[in-house]
Amino acid sequence: MTRHIIERVMSVLLILCFLLLSWQAARADGEKKNEEKNYRTVLVDPGHGGKDPGMVGAGGLEEKGINLDISLKLKKRLEGKGFHVVLTRETDEGLYDEQAENKKLQDLKRRIRLIEEESPDLVVSIHQNSYEDPSVRGPQVFYYQGSEEGRKTAEIIQKSLNDGLNVQKPRTEKGNAGYYLLKNSTSVTVIAECGFLTNPEEARLLQDSGYQDRIAAALAEGIEISLLQSGL
Ligand SMILES: [Zn+2]
C-alpha cells in the first residue's frame, strides 16, 4: 500500500517536472524571439549638460534642460515601440571630468566613444536652435554631408516633425560637414534641432511638457519609419 502511494507521488512529481521544463523552454523561446524582434538600438544624445548650458535664450533659458526633457520622453516612446535605447546622459551632467582642461572636447569625445562601444543602428542628437532674427522658428534636422543614409534618415525625421508639430513654414533637412558629432560618429547620425530658443513663442512651447511630448512622438515615429525603410 505504502509502495503504491510512493509510486503515485513519484509519477505526479515526474509529470510536474516535465510541465515545468516545457514551460521554461517555451518561455526561453519567447524571450529569444523578443530579442530578435527588438535588436535595433537607438542612441539618444541630449546635447550639452553640466557646465555647458548650450544655447541660452531670453530670460536665461538654457538649452541643456530642454534637450534632456525631450530625450527622456523620446527614450520612453522608443522603448514602447520595442527599441533598445541608450542615452549619453540621464541627468544634468556633462561627460567631462571636472579637472579636464578642455571639457567641451572631452565631453564630445566621450559621446563618440559611447557610439563606438554601442554601435547603435541610429544616433539622434537632441538640440535647440538660435538665430539673430527672433521671428525664425521651427525644427530642423541635420545630417553628415555626403552620407546618403544620413540624408534619408534626416528627411524622414524632418517630415515627421513638420507634420507632428503642424509647422507652418516647414524646413527641409540640411547637410553639415563641420559638426563634431556628425563628423566623428561611426553610426548613422542626425542632429534634431527641435526649435528656436530665440523665438519667444517657440521658447515658451519648448518648455511645455505637452509640446515636448509631441516632439518626442514625432521623433519616435520618424525614427521608426527610417529604421524600417533602411532595413537597418
Ligand atoms: Zn546645442
Side-chain angles (χ1 to χ4, degrees):
M1 182 67 188
T2 317
R3 204 181 136 202
H4 187 66
I5 289 173
I6 289 172
E7 271 174 2
R8 282 208 145 185
V9 168
M10 290 297 276
S11 317
V12 169
L13 278 176
L14 267 175
I15 290 169
L16 279 176
C17 280
F18 175 74
L19 287 175
L20 186 73
L21 281 172
S22 320
W23 175 72
Q24 278 189 334
R27 209 175 63 150
D29 204 35
E31 275 171 10
K32 203 170 154 229
K33 274 194 188 125
N34 249 353
E35 269 172 30
E36 278 167 16
K37 199 179 102 207
N38 302 337
Y39 67 97
R40 289 166 301 176
T41 298
V42 181
L43 188 139
V44 178
D45 173 47
H48 315 284
K51 287 198 164 67
D52 171 15
M55 164 58 203
V56 181
L61 176 63
E62 295 179 337
E63 182 193 341
K64 63 175 183 176
I66 298 171
N67 295 344
L68 184 59
D69 288 346
I70 294 170
S71 297
L72 290 171
K73 287 174 187 287
L74 176 58
K75 179 179 191 270
K76 269 193 195 157
R77 295 259 174 189
L78 289 172
E79 282 174 347
K81 288 178 182 288
F83 292 102
H84 174 54
V85 182
V86 178
L87 283 174
T88 52
R89 67 179 177 99
E90 293 185 46
T91 59
D92 180 20
E93 279 173 15
L95 279 74
Y96 53 81
D97 295 330
E98 284 304 323
Q99 67 274 20
E101 259 181 52
N102 191 339
K103 291 188 177 60
K104 184 69 193 167
L105 184 61
Q106 187 179 55
D107 175 275
L108 287 171
K109 277 187 172 171
R110 287 190 173 163
R111 288 177 206 242
I112 293 294
R113 198 203 292 163
L114 202 61
I115 294 170
E116 288 166 355
E117 283 167 8
E118 298 287 342
S119 67
D121 299 289
L122 180 61
V123 176
V124 180
S125 186
I126 306 296
H127 286 260
Q128 310 307 318
N129 224 332
S130 68
Y131 196 61
E132 57 206 33
D133 178 354
S135 72
V136 172
R137 58 182 294 170
Q140 183 148 42
V141 184
F142 291 86
Y143 61 93
Y144 186 49
Q145 190 98 49
S147 162
E148 184 52 19
E149 271 181 327
R151 192 200 61 75
K152 273 192 215 153
T153 305
E155 183 183 27
I156 293 166
I157 295 175
Q158 178 76 59
K159 187 180 181 313
S160 187
L161 282 169
N162 288 344
D163 293 349
L165 301 175
N166 201 16
V167 175
Q168 297 306 306
K169 286 185 197 164
R171 286 163 198 284
T172 50
E173 67 286 353
K174 204 171 173 187
N176 180 291
Y179 290 155
Y180 189 93
L181 201 78
L182 293 179
K183 224 163 82 177
N184 293 283
S185 175
T186 45
S187 294
V188 177
T189 299
V190 296
I191 295 178
E193 304 263 9
C194 306
F196 284 78
L197 293 185
T198 39
N199 178 278
E201 167 66 5
E202 200 162 51
R204 188 189 62 74
L205 283 171
L206 288 167
Q207 296 170 77
D208 178 78
S209 179
Y211 190 76
Q212 291 174 351
D213 273 330
R214 284 175 64 196
I215 294 175
L219 285 169
E221 201 179 307
I223 289 166
E224 185 179 36
I225 295 169
S226 56
L227 283 175
L228 281 174
Q229 285 195 2
S230 66
L232 284 173

CSV table of all heavy atoms in Angstrom, one decimal, residues 89-138:
chain,number,residue,atom,x,y,z
A,89,ARG,N,23.5,60.8,-21.6
A,89,ARG,CA,23.4,61.3,-20.2
A,89,ARG,C,21.9,61.3,-19.8
A,89,ARG,O,21.0,61.4,-20.6
A,89,ARG,CB,23.9,62.7,-20.1
A,89,ARG,CG,23.1,63.8,-20.8
A,89,ARG,CD,23.8,65.2,-20.6
A,89,ARG,NE,23.1,66.2,-21.4
A,89,ARG,CZ,22.2,67.0,-20.9
A,89,ARG,NH1,21.9,67.0,-19.6
A,89,ARG,NH2,21.6,68.0,-21.6
A,90,GLU,N,21.7,61.1,-18.5
A,90,GLU,CA,20.3,61.0,-18.0
A,90,GLU,C,20.1,62.0,-16.9
A,90,GLU,O,19.0,62.1,-16.4
A,90,GLU,CB,20.0,59.6,-17.4
A,90,GLU,CG,20.0,58.5,-18.5
A,90,GLU,CD,19.6,57.2,-18.0
A,90,GLU,OE1,18.6,57.1,-17.3
A,90,GLU,OE2,20.3,56.2,-18.4
A,91,THR,N,21.1,62.8,-16.6
A,91,THR,CA,21.0,63.9,-15.6
A,91,THR,C,21.6,65.1,-16.2
A,91,THR,O,22.2,65.1,-17.3
A,91,THR,CB,21.7,63.5,-14.3
A,91,THR,OG1,23.1,63.3,-14.6
A,91,THR,CG2,21.1,62.3,-13.7
A,92,ASP,N,21.6,66.2,-15.4
A,92,ASP,CA,22.2,67.5,-15.8
A,92,ASP,C,23.8,67.4,-15.6
A,92,ASP,O,24.3,68.2,-14.8
A,92,ASP,CB,21.6,68.6,-15.1
A,92,ASP,CG,22.3,70.0,-15.5
A,92,ASP,OD1,22.9,70.0,-16.6
A,92,ASP,OD2,22.2,70.9,-14.7
A,93,GLU,N,24.4,66.5,-16.3
A,93,GLU,CA,25.8,66.3,-16.1
A,93,GLU,C,26.5,66.1,-17.5
A,93,GLU,O,25.9,65.4,-18.3
A,93,GLU,CB,26.2,65.1,-15.3
A,93,GLU,CG,26.1,65.4,-13.8
A,93,GLU,CD,26.3,64.1,-13.0
A,93,GLU,OE1,26.7,63.1,-13.5
A,93,GLU,OE2,25.9,64.1,-11.8
A,94,GLY,N,27.6,66.8,-17.8
A,94,GLY,CA,28.3,66.6,-19.0
A,94,GLY,C,29.1,65.3,-18.9
A,94,GLY,O,29.1,64.7,-17.8
A,95,LEU,N,29.8,64.9,-20.0
A,95,LEU,CA,30.6,63.7,-19.9
A,95,LEU,C,32.0,64.0,-19.7
A,95,LEU,O,32.9,63.2,-20.1
A,95,LEU,CB,30.3,62.9,-21.2
A,95,LEU,CG,29.1,62.0,-21.3
A,95,LEU,CD1,27.8,62.9,-21.5
A,95,LEU,CD2,29.2,61.0,-22.4
A,96,TYR,N,32.4,65.1,-19.2
A,96,TYR,CA,33.8,65.5,-18.9
A,96,TYR,C,34.1,65.3,-17.5
A,96,TYR,O,33.3,65.2,-16.6
A,96,TYR,CB,33.9,67.0,-19.3
A,96,TYR,CG,32.9,67.9,-18.5
A,96,TYR,CD1,33.1,68.3,-17.2
A,96,TYR,CD2,31.7,68.3,-19.2
A,96,TYR,CE1,32.2,69.0,-16.5
A,96,TYR,CE2,30.8,69.0,-18.5
A,96,TYR,CZ,31.0,69.4,-17.2
A,96,TYR,OH,30.1,70.1,-16.5
A,97,ASP,N,35.4,65.3,-17.2
A,97,ASP,CA,35.9,65.3,-15.8
A,97,ASP,C,36.1,66.7,-15.4
A,97,ASP,O,36.4,67.6,-16.2
A,97,ASP,CB,37.3,64.6,-15.8
A,97,ASP,CG,37.3,63.2,-16.2
A,97,ASP,OD1,36.2,62.5,-15.9
A,97,ASP,OD2,38.3,62.7,-16.7
A,98,GLU,N,35.8,66.9,-14.1
A,98,GLU,CA,35.9,68.3,-13.5
A,98,GLU,C,37.3,69.0,-13.8
A,98,GLU,O,37.4,70.2,-13.9
A,98,GLU,CB,35.6,68.3,-12.0
A,98,GLU,CG,34.1,68.1,-11.7
A,98,GLU,CD,33.2,69.2,-12.4
A,98,GLU,OE1,33.6,70.3,-12.5
A,98,GLU,OE2,32.1,68.8,-12.8
A,99,GLN,N,38.3,68.1,-13.7
A,99,GLN,CA,39.7,68.7,-13.9
A,99,GLN,C,40.1,68.8,-15.3
A,99,GLN,O,41.3,69.2,-15.6
A,99,GLN,CB,40.7,67.9,-13.0
A,99,GLN,CG,41.0,66.5,-13.5
A,99,GLN,CD,39.9,65.5,-12.9
A,99,GLN,OE1,38.9,65.9,-12.5
A,99,GLN,NE2,40.3,64.2,-12.9
A,100,ALA,N,39.3,68.4,-16.3
A,100,ALA,CA,39.7,68.4,-17.7
A,100,ALA,C,40.0,69.8,-18.2
A,100,ALA,O,39.3,70.7,-17.8
A,100,ALA,CB,38.6,67.7,-18.5
A,101,GLU,N,41.1,69.9,-19.0
A,101,GLU,CA,41.4,71.3,-19.5
A,101,GLU,C,40.4,71.7,-20.5
A,101,GLU,O,39.9,72.8,-20.5
A,101,GLU,CB,42.8,71.2,-20.1
A,101,GLU,CG,43.9,71.8,-19.1
A,101,GLU,CD,45.2,71.8,-19.8
A,101,GLU,OE1,45.4,72.3,-20.9
A,101,GLU,OE2,46.2,71.3,-19.1
A,102,ASN,N,40.1,70.8,-21.4
A,102,ASN,CA,39.1,71.2,-22.5
A,102,ASN,C,37.9,70.3,-22.3
A,102,ASN,O,37.8,69.2,-22.8
A,102,ASN,CB,39.7,71.0,-23.9
A,102,ASN,CG,38.8,71.6,-25.0
A,102,ASN,OD1,37.6,71.7,-24.7
A,102,ASN,ND2,39.4,71.8,-26.1
A,103,LYS,N,37.0,70.8,-21.4
A,103,LYS,CA,35.8,70.0,-21.0
A,103,LYS,C,34.9,69.7,-22.2
A,103,LYS,O,34.4,68.6,-22.4
A,103,LYS,CB,35.0,70.7,-19.9
A,103,LYS,CG,35.7,70.8,-18.6
A,103,LYS,CD,34.8,71.3,-17.6
A,103,LYS,CE,35.4,71.4,-16.2
A,103,LYS,NZ,36.6,72.2,-16.1
A,104,LYS,N,34.8,70.7,-23.1
A,104,LYS,CA,33.9,70.5,-24.2
A,104,LYS,C,34.4,69.4,-25.2
A,104,LYS,O,33.6,68.6,-25.6
A,104,LYS,CB,33.8,71.9,-25.0
A,104,LYS,CG,32.8,71.9,-26.2
A,104,LYS,CD,31.4,71.8,-25.7
A,104,LYS,CE,30.5,71.5,-26.9
A,104,LYS,NZ,29.1,71.1,-26.4
A,105,LEU,N,35.7,69.4,-25.4
A,105,LEU,CA,36.2,68.4,-26.3
A,105,LEU,C,36.2,67.0,-25.7
A,105,LEU,O,35.8,66.0,-26.4
A,105,LEU,CB,37.7,68.7,-26.7
A,105,LEU,CG,38.3,67.8,-27.7
A,105,LEU,CD1,37.6,67.8,-29.0
A,105,LEU,CD2,39.8,68.2,-27.9
A,106,GLN,N,36.5,66.9,-24.4
A,106,GLN,CA,36.4,65.6,-23.7
A,106,GLN,C,35.0,65.1,-23.7
A,106,GLN,O,34.7,63.9,-23.9
A,106,GLN,CB,36.9,65.8,-22.3
A,106,GLN,CG,37.1,64.4,-21.6
A,106,GLN,CD,37.6,64.5,-20.2
A,106,GLN,OE1,37.0,65.2,-19.4
A,106,GLN,NE2,38.7,63.8,-19.9
A,107,ASP,N,34.0,66.0,-23.5
A,107,ASP,CA,32.6,65.6,-23.5
A,107,ASP,C,32.2,65.0,-24.8
A,107,ASP,O,31.6,64.0,-24.9
A,107,ASP,CB,31.8,66.9,-23.2
A,107,ASP,CG,30.3,66.7,-23.3
A,107,ASP,OD1,29.8,66.8,-24.4
A,107,ASP,OD2,29.7,66.4,-22.2
A,108,LEU,N,32.6,65.7,-25.9
A,108,LEU,CA,32.2,65.3,-27.2
A,108,LEU,C,32.9,63.9,-27.6
A,108,LEU,O,32.3,63.0,-28.2
A,108,LEU,CB,32.6,66.3,-28.3
A,108,LEU,CG,31.7,67.6,-28.3
A,108,LEU,CD1,32.2,68.6,-29.2
A,108,LEU,CD2,30.2,67.2,-28.7
A,109,LYS,N,34.2,63.8,-27.2
A,109,LYS,CA,35.0,62.6,-27.5
A,109,LYS,C,34.3,61.4,-26.8
A,109,LYS,O,34.3,60.3,-27.3
A,109,LYS,CB,36.4,62.7,-27.0
A,109,LYS,CG,37.3,63.5,-28.0
A,109,LYS,CD,38.7,63.4,-27.6
A,109,LYS,CE,39.6,64.0,-28.7
A,109,LYS,NZ,41.0,64.1,-28.2
A,110,ARG,N,33.8,61.6,-25.5
A,110,ARG,CA,33.2,60.5,-24.8
A,110,ARG,C,31.9,60.1,-25.4
A,110,ARG,O,31.5,59.0,-25.3
A,110,ARG,CB,33.1,60.9,-23.3
A,110,ARG,CG,34.4,60.9,-22.7
A,110,ARG,CD,34.4,61.0,-21.2
A,110,ARG,NE,35.7,60.8,-20.6
A,110,ARG,CZ,36.1,61.2,-19.4
A,110,ARG,NH1,35.2,61.7,-18.6
A,110,ARG,NH2,37.3,61.0,-19.0
A,111,ARG,N,31.2,61.1,-26.0
A,111,ARG,CA,29.9,60.8,-26.7
A,111,ARG,C,30.2,59.9,-27.9
A,111,ARG,O,29.5,58.9,-28.1
A,111,ARG,CB,29.2,62.1,-27.1
A,111,ARG,CG,28.6,62.8,-25.9
A,111,ARG,CD,27.9,64.1,-26.2
A,111,ARG,NE,27.9,65.0,-25.1
A,111,ARG,CZ,26.8,65.4,-24.4
A,111,ARG,NH1,25.6,65.1,-24.9
A,111,ARG,NH2,26.9,66.2,-23.4
A,112,ILE,N,31.3,60.3,-28.6
A,112,ILE,CA,31.7,59.4,-29.7
A,112,ILE,C,32.1,58.1,-29.3
A,112,ILE,O,31.8,57.0,-29.9
A,112,ILE,CB,32.9,60.1,-30.5
A,112,ILE,CG1,32.4,61.4,-31.2
A,112,ILE,CG2,33.5,59.2,-31.5
A,112,ILE,CD1,31.3,61.2,-32.3
A,113,ARG,N,32.9,58.0,-28.1
A,113,ARG,CA,33.3,56.7,-27.7
A,113,ARG,C,32.1,55.8,-27.3
A,113,ARG,O,32.1,54.6,-27.6
A,113,ARG,CB,34.2,56.9,-26.4
A,113,ARG,CG,35.0,55.6,-26.1
A,113,ARG,CD,35.5,55.5,-24.7
A,113,ARG,NE,36.4,56.5,-24.4
A,113,ARG,CZ,36.7,56.9,-23.1
A,113,ARG,NH1,36.1,56.2,-22.1
A,113,ARG,NH2,37.6,57.8,-22.8
A,114,LEU,N,31.1,56.4,-26.7
A,114,LEU,CA,29.9,55.6,-26.4
A,114,LEU,C,29.2,55.1,-27.7
A,114,LEU,O,28.8,53.9,-27.7
A,114,LEU,CB,28.9,56.5,-25.7
A,114,LEU,CG,27.9,55.9,-24.8
A,114,LEU,CD1,28.5,55.0,-23.7
A,114,LEU,CD2,26.9,56.9,-24.2
A,115,ILE,N,29.3,55.9,-28.7
A,115,ILE,CA,28.7,55.4,-30.0
A,115,ILE,C,29.5,54.2,-30.6
A,115,ILE,O,29.0,53.2,-31.0
A,115,ILE,CB,28.7,56.6,-31.1
A,115,ILE,CG1,27.7,57.7,-30.6
A,115,ILE,CG2,28.3,56.1,-32.5
A,115,ILE,CD1,27.8,59.0,-31.4
A,116,GLU,N,30.8,54.4,-30.4
A,116,GLU,CA,31.7,53.3,-30.9
A,116,GLU,C,31.4,52.0,-30.1
A,116,GLU,O,31.4,50.9,-30.6
A,116,GLU,CB,33.2,53.7,-30.7
A,116,GLU,CG,33.6,54.7,-31.8
A,116,GLU,CD,35.0,55.3,-31.4
A,116,GLU,OE1,35.5,55.0,-30.3
A,116,GLU,OE2,35.4,56.1,-32.2
A,117,GLU,N,31.3,52.1,-28.8
A,117,GLU,CA,31.0,51.0,-27.9
A,117,GLU,C,29.7,50.3,-28.2
A,117,GLU,O,29.6,49.1,-28.2
A,117,GLU,CB,31.1,51.4,-26.4
A,117,GLU,CG,32.5,51.6,-25.9
A,117,GLU,CD,32.5,52.3,-24.6
A,117,GLU,OE1,31.5,52.5,-24.0
A,117,GLU,OE2,33.6,52.7,-24.1
A,118,GLU,N,28.7,51.1,-28.4
A,118,GLU,CA,27.3,50.6,-28.5
A,118,GLU,C,27.0,50.2,-29.9
A,118,GLU,O,26.0,49.4,-30.2
A,118,GLU,CB,26.3,51.6,-28.0
A,118,GLU,CG,26.4,52.0,-26.5
A,118,GLU,CD,25.9,50.8,-25.6
A,118,GLU,OE1,25.2,49.9,-26.1
A,118,GLU,OE2,26.3,50.8,-24.4
A,119,SER,N,27.7,50.8,-30.9
A,119,SER,CA,27.4,50.7,-32.3
A,119,SER,C,25.9,50.6,-32.6
A,119,SER,O,25.4,49.6,-33.1
A,119,SER,CB,28.2,49.6,-33.0
A,119,SER,OG,27.8,48.3,-32.6
A,120,PRO,N,25.2,51.7,-32.3
A,120,PRO,CA,23.7,51.7,-32.5
A,120,PRO,C,23.4,51.8,-34.0
A,120,PRO,O,24.2,52.1,-34.8
A,120,PRO,CB,23.3,53.0,-31.8
A,120,PRO,CG,24.5,53.9,-31.8
A,120,PRO,CD,25.7,53.0,-31.7
A,121,ASP,N,22.1,51.4,-34.3
A,121,ASP,CA,21.7,51.5,-35.7
A,121,ASP,C,21.4,52.9,-36.1
A,121,ASP,O,21.5,53.3,-37.2
A,121,ASP,CB,20.3,50.7,-35.8
A,121,ASP,CG,20.6,49.3,-35.4
A,121,ASP,OD1,21.2,48.6,-36.2
A,121,ASP,OD2,20.1,48.8,-34.4
A,122,LEU,N,21.2,53.8,-35.1
A,122,LEU,CA,20.9,55.2,-35.4
A,122,LEU,C,21.3,56.0,-34.1
A,122,LEU,O,21.0,55.6,-33.0
A,122,LEU,CB,19.5,55.4,-35.8
A,122,LEU,CG,19.0,56.8,-36.1
A,122,LEU,CD1,19.8,57.4,-37.3
A,122,LEU,CD2,17.5,56.8,-36.4
A,123,VAL,N,21.9,57.2,-34.4
A,123,VAL,CA,22.1,58.2,-33.3
A,123,VAL,C,21.3,59.4,-33.6
A,123,VAL,O,21.3,59.9,-34.7
A,123,VAL,CB,23.6,58.6,-33.3
A,123,VAL,CG1,23.9,59.7,-32.2
A,123,VAL,CG2,24.5,57.4,-33.0
A,124,VAL,N,20.5,59.8,-32.6
A,124,VAL,CA,19.8,61.1,-32.7
A,124,VAL,C,20.2,62.0,-31.6
A,124,VAL,O,20.0,61.7,-30.4
A,124,VAL,CB,18.2,60.8,-32.6
A,124,VAL,CG1,17.5,62.1,-32.8
A,124,VAL,CG2,17.8,59.8,-33.7
A,125,SER,N,20.8,63.1,-32.0
A,125,SER,CA,21.3,64.1,-31.0
A,125,SER,C,20.3,65.2,-30.9
A,125,SER,O,19.9,65.8,-31.9
A,125,SER,CB,22.7,64.6,-31.5
A,125,SER,OG,23.2,65.4,-30.5
A,126,ILE,N,19.8,65.5,-29.7
A,126,ILE,CA,18.8,66.5,-29.5
A,126,ILE,C,19.3,67.9,-29.1
A,126,ILE,O,20.1,68.0,-28.1
A,126,ILE,CB,17.8,66.0,-28.4
A,126,ILE,CG1,17.3,64.6,-28.7
A,126,ILE,CG2,16.7,67.0,-28.2
A,126,ILE,CD1,16.4,64.5,-29.9
A,127,HIS,N,19.0,68.9,-29.8
A,127,HIS,CA,19.5,70.2,-29.6
A,127,HIS,C,18.3,71.2,-29.8
A,127,HIS,O,17.3,70.9,-30.4
A,127,HIS,CB,20.6,70.6,-30.5
A,127,HIS,CG,21.9,69.9,-30.1
A,127,HIS,ND1,22.9,70.6,-29.4
A,127,HIS,CD2,22.3,68.6,-30.3
A,127,HIS,CE1,23.9,69.7,-29.2
A,127,HIS,NE2,23.6,68.5,-29.7
A,128,GLN,N,18.6,72.5,-29.4
A,128,GLN,CA,17.7,73.6,-29.8
A,128,GLN,C,18.5,74.7,-30.5
A,128,GLN,O,19.7,74.8,-30.3
A,128,GLN,CB,17.1,74.2,-28.5
A,128,GLN,CG,16.5,73.2,-27.5
A,128,GLN,CD,15.5,72.3,-28.2
A,128,GLN,OE1,14.7,72.7,-29.0
A,128,GLN,NE2,15.6,71.0,-27.8
A,129,ASN,N,17.8,75.4,-31.4
A,129,ASN,CA,18.5,76.3,-32.3
A,129,ASN,C,18.4,77.8,-31.8
A,129,ASN,O,17.7,78.1,-30.8
A,129,ASN,CB,17.8,76.2,-33.6
A,129,ASN,CG,18.7,76.2,-34.8
A,129,ASN,OD1,19.8,76.7,-34.7
A,129,ASN,ND2,18.3,75.6,-35.9
A,130,SER,N,19.2,78.6,-32.5
A,130,SER,CA,19.1,80.1,-32.2
A,130,SER,C,19.4,80.8,-33.4
A,130,SER,O,20.1,80.3,-34.3
A,130,SER,CB,20.1,80.4,-31.1
A,130,SER,OG,21.4,80.3,-31.6
A,131,TYR,N,18.9,82.1,-33.5
A,131,TYR,CA,19.2,82.9,-34.7
A,131,TYR,C,19.0,84.3,-34.3
A,131,TYR,O,18.2,84.6,-33.4
A,131,TYR,CB,18.2,82.5,-35.8
A,131,TYR,CG,18.7,83.1,-37.2
A,131,TYR,CD1,19.9,82.7,-37.7
A,131,TYR,CD2,17.9,83.9,-37.9
A,131,TYR,CE1,20.4,83.2,-38.9
A,131,TYR,CE2,18.3,84.5,-39.1
A,131,TYR,CZ,19.5,84.1,-39.6
A,131,TYR,OH,20.0,84.6,-40.8
A,132,GLU,N,19.7,85.2,-35.0
A,132,GLU,CA,19.6,86.7,-34.6
A,132,GLU,C,18.2,87.2,-34.8
A,132,GLU,O,17.7,88.1,-34.1
A,132,GLU,CB,20.6,87.5,-35.4
A,132,GLU,CG,20.5,87.3,-36.9
A,132,GLU,CD,21.8,87.5,-37.7
A,132,GLU,OE1,22.9,87.2,-37.1
A,132,GLU,OE2,21.7,88.1,-38.8
A,133,ASP,N,17.5,86.7,-35.9
A,133,ASP,CA,16.1,87.2,-36.2
A,133,ASP,C,15.1,86.4,-35.3
A,133,ASP,O,14.9,85.2,-35.5
A,133,ASP,CB,15.8,87.0,-37.7
A,133,ASP,CG,14.4,87.4,-38.0
A,133,ASP,OD1,13.6,87.7,-37.1
A,133,ASP,OD2,14.1,87.4,-39.3
A,134,PRO,N,14.5,87.0,-34.3
A,134,PRO,CA,13.6,86.3,-33.4
A,134,PRO,C,12.3,85.7,-34.1
A,134,PRO,O,11.6,84.9,-33.5
A,134,PRO,CB,13.2,87.4,-32.4
A,134,PRO,CG,13.4,88.7,-33.0
A,134,PRO,CD,14.5,88.5,-34.0
A,135,SER,N,12.0,86.1,-35.3
A,135,SER,CA,10.8,85.6,-36.0
A,135,SER,C,11.1,84.2,-36.5
A,135,SER,O,10.2,83.4,-36.8
A,135,SER,CB,10.4,86.5,-37.1
A,135,SER,OG,11.3,86.4,-38.2
A,136,VAL,N,12.4,83.8,-36.6
A,136,VAL,CA,12.7,82.5,-37.2
A,136,VAL,C,12.4,81.4,-36.2
A,136,VAL,O,12.7,81.5,-35.0
A,136,VAL,CB,14.2,82.4,-37.6
A,136,VAL,CG1,14.6,81.0,-38.0
A,136,VAL,CG2,14.5,83.4,-38.7
A,137,ARG,N,11.7,80.3,-36.7
A,137,ARG,CA,11.3,79.3,-35.8
A,137,ARG,C,11.1,77.9,-36.5
A,137,ARG,O,11.2,77.9,-37.8
A,137,ARG,CB,9.9,79.6,-35.1
A,137,ARG,CG,8.8,79.9,-36.0
A,137,ARG,CD,7.5,80.3,-35.3
A,137,ARG,NE,7.0,79.2,-34.5
A,137,ARG,CZ,6.0,79.3,-33.6
A,137,ARG,NH1,5.5,80.5,-33.4
A,137,ARG,NH2,5.6,78.3,-33.0
A,138,GLY,N,10.9,76.9,-35.8
A,138,GLY,CA,10.6,75.6,-36.4
A,138,GLY,C,11.8,74.6,-36.3
A,138,GLY,O,12.9,75.0,-36.2
